Amino acid sequence: MTTDTIFSVDLADPAIHANPYPTYARMRREAPVMEVKGRGYMGRAWLVTRYNDVLAVLKDPRFVN
């Protein structure tokens, strides 16, 4: 997993809601693991977009709360 690429996307953008798949493909290609800045009560979070990376996170005991 890598976080080398700087990638910014507003997932609330209506244009993305109309056709999200090109954005999803770009996220998987350019930023498969990215930090998400939370709003309100939500603090730091990570968005993991590739299947094998998600499996790795779910199996890693460091991510258990």
Side-chain angles (χ1 to χ4, degrees):
M1 291 185 284
T2 180
T3 58
D4 295 342
T5 303
I6 296 175
F7 187 93
S8 179
V9 63
D10 179 4
L11 294 176
D13 182 340
I16 292 175
H17 278 257
N19 184 14
Y21 303 107
T23 301
Y24 295 164
R26 183 173 174 220
M27 289 167 64
R28 284 190 302 272
R29 187 176 55 252
E30 296 180 23
V33 179
M34 59 192 272
E35 185 173 4
V36 178
K37 304 240 176 15
R39 295 184 212 161
Y41 70 90
M42 189 175 137
R44 184 176 177 192
W46 294 90
L47 178 61
V48 183
T49 60
R50 293 188 304 203
Y51 181 82
N52 287 335
D53 294 334
V54 171
L55 285 180
V57 168
L58 292 174
K59 292 177 180 180
D60 190 322
R62 294 175 295 172
F63 294 98
V64 175
N65 215 355

